[in-house]
Amino acid sequence: MCLAIPTRLIEIRPGAQALVDLGGIRKEISIALVPEAAVGDYVIVHVGHAIGLIDPEEAERSLRMFGELAAQEAS
């Protein structure tokens, strides 16, 4: 089983790299597999690579669910 996280792309960098933001955490990832990605898009990230684009509403829904799971775990 693998887990891919939706994150918002905030900056395109040289060499098929990009900066994403997930709840204030920023990380550089590869966008070589999703060259059409643009700033503001949500991408699915798995082990440092964007593997696809995701609809913003679906991304927000997924992120809310991850947040709810984390809150339950903390309880």
Side-chain angles (χ1 to χ4, degrees), residues 3-74:
L3 179 63
I5 308 272
T7 60
R8 188 173 54 87
L9 199 148
I10 59 173
E11 182 182 322
I12 304 286
R13 295 184 170 174
Q17 298 293 301
L19 188 65
V20 293
D21 179 85
L22 178 61
I25 297 171
R26 293 180 174 200
K27 179 169 176 58
E28 188 172 75
I29 63 161
S30 169
I31 55 170
L33 299 174
V34 192
E36 69 276 17
V39 171
D41 285 347
Y42 279 89
V43 293
I44 295 291
V45 176
H46 177 65
V47 294
H49 296 270
I51 59 173
L53 293 170
I54 186 171
D55 176 78
E57 290 177 7
E58 182 64 26
E60 292 295 335
R61 216 173 6 256
S62 296
L63 291 170
R64 267 195 311 277
M65 286 191 301
F66 285 132
E68 290 169 6
L69 289 171
Q72 288 177 0
E73 185 70 25

